Amino acid sequence: MRSHKMTKGIEKAPHRSLLYSLGLTREEMQRPLVGVVNSANEIVPGHQHLDKIARAVKDGIRMSGGTPLEFSTIGVCDGLAMNHAGMRFSLPSREIIADSVEIMTSAHPFDALVLIPNCDKVVPGMLMAMIRMNLPSIIVSGGPMLAGEDHGKAVDLISVFEGVGRVKSGQINEQDLESLELNACPGCGSCSGMFTANSMNCLSEAIGLGLPGNGTIPAVHSARIRLAKTAGMKVMQLLSDDLRPNKIINPKSVANAVAVDMALGCSTNTVLHLPAVFAEAGLDLSLDIFDVMSRKTPNLCRLSPAGPHHLQDLHRAGGIPAVVSELSSKGIFDLNALTVTGKSWRQNLQELQARVLDPQVIRSMDNPYSHEGGIAILRGNLAPQGAVVKQSAVTPEMMVQTGSARVFEGEEDAVQAILNAKIRKGDIVVIRNEGPKGGPGMREMLTPTSAIAGMGLDKHVSLITDGRFSGGTRGAAIGHVSPESVEGGPIALVKEGDKISIDIYKGSLTLNVTDKEMEKRRQDFKPLEKEIKSPLLRRYARMAGSASNGAAFRL
């Protein structure tokens, strides 16, 4: 066993002495040592109950003859970091989480790992570490929050963000907003819509690295505790069978993940995270596969913000196994792919008797919400390396638009303009210098998109940025424009009043300026200089790659 490097032999007497100081017995040291990676803290709502999940995982490990040893990682709540400088640290936290797991698992040679994430960057960070370390491993999330209820209507965090704009536009008063504040987030768990955290938890299940139910069992259900115990027991079987992530991750698991992504209408952040995750296995995941899979995978679900349903509804309707069953009926999902159950997806579906239990939540392949997937890739002279939009959350009248550019050098100025009613119907808001390097940190911009929706402009105003959007964003919000502004991408050359054409159906994003004029502007271009006080962000700006490749570090 790998842990024998730390526990076996005369020369390891000092190591055993330290382990004895923890209260471990010699028998516990002789058993497999399983690292339990917990991101619990008291500031992130999705993490406040992870102590209970970890306890259940450790119970499962002990029941199956292992010795669990828990350690922690950091975790950022994107909702709390939104619309201030703290959001610059969210995406960089993904790399730090992955690195911290590598450090702890290499310094202390565990035999296997159970990883317990919740929330936006923790899930991909732990997936990256899981694949990088390639130990028998399993991921089990804390699960989604239940939707709230306000005046008889299901609400969530996005309802509050959009409520700010609705107050500004006179649609509701401040007392209504306070009611939303109190009721939108009723308890623990990752926010209840198909936002980034839940998207990645569902996709970890689709990839085969999480057990069935990992993405959708609500955080407060006892089934979540049972799932955690099962994960603890199952990792011991993975260790016995020497089943590691490199036997699960391969090109067909990549295609499976993207297919489920498109069917669910996941967050556009998956286009950042999946390439970074699969890169750990040496697999190149370009924007092309999202484009290809989107065009052949119908959108079967419309969860908040794209529709009225939440994760609890998806779970009730059959969860990810039901979605997989539906996709496989048309040959879009490869059921021969292996999973951490030790069995193929085909065997899992048979054992679960997976089927769609509510066709309003999970539509059939013959009656989809749309015949293309939830995410679209756009290209053109404004985004030569690509841009991303959650087309399932775009109203039909906004799929094709030509409008005048309203240019802002950062998020804050754009938000003020929107809330002060300086943006008009037909405008196209351009926010630049928010990319991985230029931000730095590629801030998630839920505030401007929510403000546009709250002001009643989401059917009239598009937003284009080299930054990124929350999974809770709805409307014609086009992000990840690459190359980014600081690297001289065409978005840096847009001027106030320029005409921009968007055609999501055709996948095009065009700045209606002549090549001659663009070349003149390029010669005059000077990157916006920012004072970056944070040493971490200075390092991140130097190392971060393009959003088109997941913004992973360039080594």
Side-chain angles (χ1 to χ4, degrees):
M1 291 190 295
R2 189 171 180 266
S3 60
H4 285 172
K5 298 176 184 178
M6 188 169 62
T7 60
K8 193 172 183 178
I10 294 175
E11 70 279 9
K12 296 303 188 295
H15 304 67
R16 290 193 295 272
S17 182
L18 290 169
L19 294 173
Y20 278 132
S21 77
L22 298 175
L24 294 183
T25 65
R26 187 62 175 263
E27 183 183 26
E28 285 177 300
M29 293 181 212
Q30 291 172 343
R31 294 175 178 176
L33 302 185
V34 181
V36 177
V37 191
N38 191 355
S39 56
N41 59 58
E42 294 184 346
I43 185 63
V44 181
H47 294 199
Q48 61 176 316
H49 65 305
L50 294 188
D51 58 334
K52 298 179 178 64
I53 301 295
R55 191 178 309 128
V57 166
K58 290 186 281 189
D59 287 345
I61 292 168
R62 288 193 181 97
M63 282 191 287
S64 296
T67 298
L69 293 167
E70 182 179 344
F71 64 89
S72 61
T73 72
I74 60 170
V76 171
C77 175
D78 279 23
L80 293 173
M82 200 73 66
N83 196 34
H84 60 84
M87 178 49 74
R88 301 194 191 284
F89 292 85
S90 176
L91 186 56
S93 76
R94 184 187 70 183
E95 266 60 34
I96 292 172
I97 290 163
D99 290 347
S100 69
V101 177
E102 178 186 5
I103 288 168
M104 291 295 289
T105 307
S106 299
H108 315 102
F110 296 107
D111 298 301
L113 294 174
V114 180
L115 303 101
I116 307 171
N118 236 16
C119 300
D120 292 19
K121 308 307 168 296
V122 188
V123 187
M126 286 194 179
L127 285 169
M128 289 164 67
M130 183 180 183
I131 296 169
R132 183 185 303 176
M133 298 312 299
N134 197 36
L135 296 173
S137 306
I138 194 166
I139 199 162
V140 56
S141 77
M145 184 186 292
L146 294 176
E149 185 176 321
D150 187 58
H151 294 96
K153 180 181 177 182
V155 292
D156 54 42
L157 181 64
I158 307 310
S159 308
V160 189
F161 271 97
E162 294 184 358
V164 175
R166 294 175 68 197
V167 169
K168 291 283 189 177
S169 64
Q171 298 176 59
I172 62 174
N173 59 37
E174 290 188 27
Q175 289 72 32
D176 294 326
L177 181 61
E178 184 177 358
S179 181
L180 273 175
E181 286 180 47
L182 289 169
N183 295 312
C185 300
C188 65
S190 48
C191 295
S192 56
M194 190 50 77
F195 315 143
T196 304
N198 290 328
S199 294
M200 290 305 300
N201 278 327
C202 287
L203 294 185
S204 67
E205 186 179 334
I207 294 166
L209 297 178
L211 293 172
N214 180 65
T216 59
I217 297 172
V220 296
H221 284 194
S222 61
R224 176 61 59 178
I225 299 296
R226 296 196 297 273
L227 184 77
K229 287 181 182 176
T230 302
M233 292 186 285
K234 184 60 68 175
V235 79
M236 296 304 295
Q237 186 62 51
L238 296 178
L239 178 60
S240 176
D241 295 341
D242 194 33
L243 180 53
R244 301 169 184 252
N246 68 354
K247 296 180 181 177
I248 294 173
I249 299 298
N250 54 48
K252 63 185 175 186
S253 60
V254 171
N256 282 348
V258 179
V260 172
D261 189 349
M262 297 303 160
L264 292 175
C266 288
S267 163
T268 52
N269 282 317
T270 62
V271 181
L272 278 179
H273 298 322
L274 288 180
V277 168
F278 286 115
E280 297 288 348
L283 296 171
D284 181 19
L285 191 61
S286 70
L287 293 183
D288 293 339
I289 190 170
F290 291 94
D291 202 21
V292 168
M293 295 304 294
S294 180
R295 294 187 186 283
K296 73 176 185 178
T297 306
N299 179 223
L300 305 181
C301 302
R302 288 282 167 95
L303 284 80
S304 177
H309 304 126
H310 292 84
L311 263 290
Q312 65 208 59
D313 301 308
L314 179 60
H315 182 65
R316 175 178 51 80
I320 302 307
V323 174
V324 168
S325 178
E326 199 60 37
L327 290 173
S328 65
S329 69
K330 300 292 186 181
I332 292 176
F333 192 100
D334 190 335
L335 293 180
N336 295 316
L338 191 60
T339 74
V340 287
T341 64
K343 301 173 183 176
S344 69
W345 259 108
R346 188 183 309 280
Q347 292 169 302
N348 290 344
L349 294 186
Q350 290 171 348
E351 290 186 7
L352 293 167
Q353 297 182 332
R355 65 191 190 283
V356 174
L357 302 176
D358 186 340
Q360 297 305 310
V361 178
I362 304 172
R363 289 199 175 183
S364 71
M365 295 288 282
D366 296 323
N367 182 37
Y369 282 103
S370 66
H371 291 285
E372 291 193 359
I375 292 175
I377 305 300
L378 310 183
R379 287 187 170 88
N381 69 341
L382 188 51
Q385 294 176 4
V388 182
V389 63
K390 187 171 184 174
Q391 64 178 343
S392 60
V394 180
T395 57
E397 55 266 48
M398 293 300 291
M399 295 292 282
V400 179
Q401 183 192 10
T402 296
S404 298
R406 301 295 310 280
V407 182
F408 301 92
E409 304 298 343
E411 177 186 4
E412 288 82 0
D413 289 346
V415 170
Q416 287 304 310
I418 295 163
L419 293 178
N420 290 331
K422 294 182 178 179
I423 302 300
R424 308 297 183 191
K425 292 181 179 180
D427 285 347
I428 295 179
V429 175
V430 177
I431 303 177
R432 60 193 179 199
N433 298 299
E434 292 286 3
K437 298 175 71 66
M442 201 180 187
R443 285 191 291 180
E444 190 171 271
M445 290 182 281
L446 179 56
T447 300
T449 57
S450 296
I452 286 171
M455 297 289 284
L457 295 171
D458 55 305
K459 295 182 180 179
H460 308 282
V461 172
S462 296
L463 196 156
I464 298 172
T465 181
D466 53 6
R468 63 192 178 93
F469 295 113
S470 163
T473 290
R474 63 184 175 95
I478 299 166
H480 307 199
V481 170
S482 300
E484 62 176 291
S485 179
V486 76
E487 294 196 314
I491 191 172
L493 309 179
V494 180
K495 290 186 176 182
E496 187 84 5
D498 283 349
K499 295 296 182 181
I500 296 175
S501 295
I502 301 165
D503 191 329
I504 296 174
Y505 293 121
K506 294 181 178 178
S508 66
L509 184 60
T510 306
L511 176 62
N512 297 318
V513 172
T514 65
D515 292 343
K516 183 178 180 180
E517 173 63 17
M518 288 291 282
E519 184 56 36
K520 180 178 180 298
R521 293 182 187 183
R522 189 171 285 109
Q523 290 174 0
D524 296 334
F525 167 72
K526 292 182 180 179
L528 181 70
E529 293 186 5
K530 293 183 180 180
E531 181 185 5
I532 306 173
K533 295 182 179 180
S534 165
L536 184 147
L537 291 180
R538 286 199 297 269
R539 291 197 301 272
Y540 186 82
R542 288 196 301 268
M543 297 176 68
S546 168
S548 62
N549 293 314
F553 280 173
R554 292 182 285 198
L555 302 178

